[in-house]
Amino acid sequence: MVEYIKNIAILGATGNFGTHVTAALLKSERKQHITALSRPDSKASFPAGVTVKKVDYGDVDAIAQVLQGQDAVIIIVPFTASDDVQMNVIEAAAKANVPWVLPNEYGSDTGHKELVKAVPTMDQKTQFRERVEELGRSSWIGMITNPWFDMSFAMGFYGINVKDRTASFFGDGGVRINTTVLSTAGRSVAALLSLPVSTTDGKPSLSDYKNKNVYVSSFNMTQRELLEEVQTATQTTDSDWKVSSRPVDEVIVDGHARLKQGDFMGMINVLLGNTFKAGMGGEYESTKGLDNQKLGLPKDDFRAEVGKAVKTASAQ
C-alpha cells in the first residue's frame, strides 16, 4: 500500500510566503491535516481548516509536544530571524520523531558552493541541514526557487521601476536567472508533500529528495527580456525609458560595505549581485534541471505574470 503524509506542521503560516504555502496545502487533494505553530502573543489570523497551536519558540520540549504525530514540519522565517528559532524547531522535530523537515530555504541555490560562500545568509543555512542529519531522526528537503518574481519586481530588486520608467541593469542585463512566482513556489511545497513517501514503479516520491534540494522555477529570464515584456505591457519603447547599468562586482562590494556599517539591507545587494553574476548559480535550470514536471506544477506565462506585476506597480 502506498504511504502518504497526513499531518503537516508549519511555522510562519501567515507570512508573505507562508500564506501561499498554507493556501496550497489546504487545496491539496490529499486533504492533509495542517497545524500552524504560533507565538503565544501572536494576533495573526489563520484560514479555516488550520489547527493553531500556540507555543514558545524558545522551549524545545514544548515545541516537541506540539509536533507529536506530525509527518512533516515546514519552517518559514524571515532572514532577519534569530537562528535559535529554526534550530529549536529542528531539535524539537527530532525529539518528536518527525520524519521530514523543510528548513528555511525557498530561495537561492544552497547546493552551489561558490554562491553559498559569497552570500553570508546562505552560508548560515548550512548549519540547519547539517543539524537535521546529525540528529538522525528526520530528513531534510530544501526548496530552491530563487528570489520570488512578483515580490522582487514589486520591491525593485530586478531593477525595473514602472512609474519612473527607469531600468537599472546588473552589467549588460543579459545574464540569465531562474525566478519563481510566489503562488507557484507555494504550490511546489504542497505538491512535494503530496508525493508518496516511496514508490517501486519509478514515479516521483519524497524519498527521492531525502537530504537533497528540489529545484523549481517559473521563468528563465534576463533583465533585458524582463524590460522588453514590461515595455509591451506599458506600450513603451527604449526611448521612453532611462536605462543604466552597473558592474555586478561593484554592486556586491557596495553591499558588503553597507553590511560593515550595520545596514543589513546591504545583504540584498550581495545576494542580487551574485544572483546576476554569470556562473554563480542564479541560473540553475541548465545545470541542476527542474522538478516542476515531477511535481505536476502548471506552467506560468511570463507575459501574463509581468502584466500582473506591472498593473500592481502602476496602482501603487
Side-chain angles (χ1 to χ4, degrees):
M1 184 175 179
V2 179
E3 178 188 357
Y4 290 91
I5 278 180
K6 296 179 181 179
N7 301 307
I8 301 172
I10 178 170
L11 173 71
T14 60
N16 290 323
F17 179 51
T19 53
H20 292 277
V21 174
T22 302
L25 289 170
L26 291 173
K27 291 178 183 177
S28 171
E29 295 180 356
R30 293 289 166 220
K31 304 300 180 183
Q32 294 144 320
H33 185 267
I34 312 303
T35 298
L37 280 63
S38 180
R39 296 183 187 275
D41 59 350
S42 173
K43 305 299 182 185
S45 58
F46 296 82
V50 175
T51 298
V52 181
K53 295 289 187 180
K54 300 275 190 177
V55 64
D56 180 359
Y57 293 167
D59 189 334
V60 173
D61 289 333
I63 301 172
Q65 186 173 358
V66 170
L67 294 182
Q68 289 292 333
Q70 298 296 324
D71 299 310
V73 57
I74 302 167
I75 305 172
I76 305 172
V77 293
F79 68 84
T80 54
S82 167
D83 288 349
D84 291 343
V85 173
Q86 183 168 192
M87 194 62 80
N88 287 346
V89 175
I90 288 170
E91 298 281 347
K95 282 195 171 189
N97 292 308
V98 178
W100 300 96
V101 174
L102 272 64
N104 193 52
E105 300 282 335
Y106 325 108
S108 302
D109 183 10
T110 49
H112 193 286
K113 293 181 179 180
E114 289 77 14
L115 184 61
V116 170
K117 291 177 182 177
V119 183
T121 53
M122 292 183 63
D123 190 35
Q124 290 172 353
K125 292 181 178 182
T126 305
Q127 62 181 315
F128 303 114
R129 300 190 302 275
E130 289 181 343
R131 186 56 179 158
V132 172
E133 294 186 32
E134 287 171 0
L135 291 167
R137 300 292 183 86
S138 312
S139 298
W140 61 265
I141 301 178
M143 297 296 301
I144 307 304
T145 63
N146 248 2
W148 304 313
F149 173 76
D150 27 3
M151 179 179 289
S152 296
F153 187 94
M155 299 184 74
F157 294 162
Y158 288 164
I160 309 294
N161 188 311
V162 176
K163 284 191 172 182
D164 293 344
R165 295 288 194 267
T166 60
S168 177
F169 289 161
F170 296 95
D172 64 1
V175 173
R176 292 202 161 276
I177 70 162
N178 286 103
T179 182
T180 309
V181 175
L182 267 168
S183 58
T184 298
R187 283 196 295 268
S188 71
V189 176
L192 173 71
L193 295 180
S194 293
L195 293 176
V197 174
S198 62
T199 59
T200 57
D201 57 5
K203 292 183 178 179
S205 71
L206 273 176
S207 297
D208 295 339
Y209 300 107
K210 179 179 179 180
N211 297 337
K212 297 178 181 177
N213 286 333
V214 176
Y215 292 86
V216 299
S217 173
S218 295
F219 319 118
N220 184 313
M221 68 167 203
T222 68
Q223 283 182 290
R224 181 72 239 185
E225 290 172 348
L226 176 59
L227 177 58
E228 289 172 357
E229 288 297 339
V230 170
Q231 289 173 341
T232 297
T234 56
Q235 298 183 321
T236 59
T237 64
D238 273 356
S239 62
D240 301 305
W241 288 74
K242 180 180 179 181
V243 180
S244 61
S245 65
R246 191 179 181 193
V248 66
D249 286 327
E250 182 179 297
V251 175
I252 296 170
V253 169
D254 178 64
H256 282 295
R258 291 173 63 183
L259 284 171
K260 288 181 180 179
Q261 294 171 0
D263 180 2
F264 199 66
M265 292 308 292
M267 187 61 66
I268 300 299
N269 287 42
V270 176
L271 175 60
L272 291 174
N274 280 286
T275 298
F276 282 96
K277 186 173 182 177
M280 286 298 288
E283 195 281 314
Y284 47 74
E285 180 176 349
S286 62
T287 57
K288 304 292 180 66
L290 297 179
D291 294 295
N292 292 46
Q293 188 172 355
K294 291 179 181 179
L295 297 178
L297 297 177
K299 187 173 178 60
D300 291 313
D301 185 288
F302 188 37
R303 178 159 294 181
E305 292 299 334
V306 171
K308 291 178 188 177
V310 167
K311 186 177 182 180
T312 300
S314 299
Q316 291 177 344

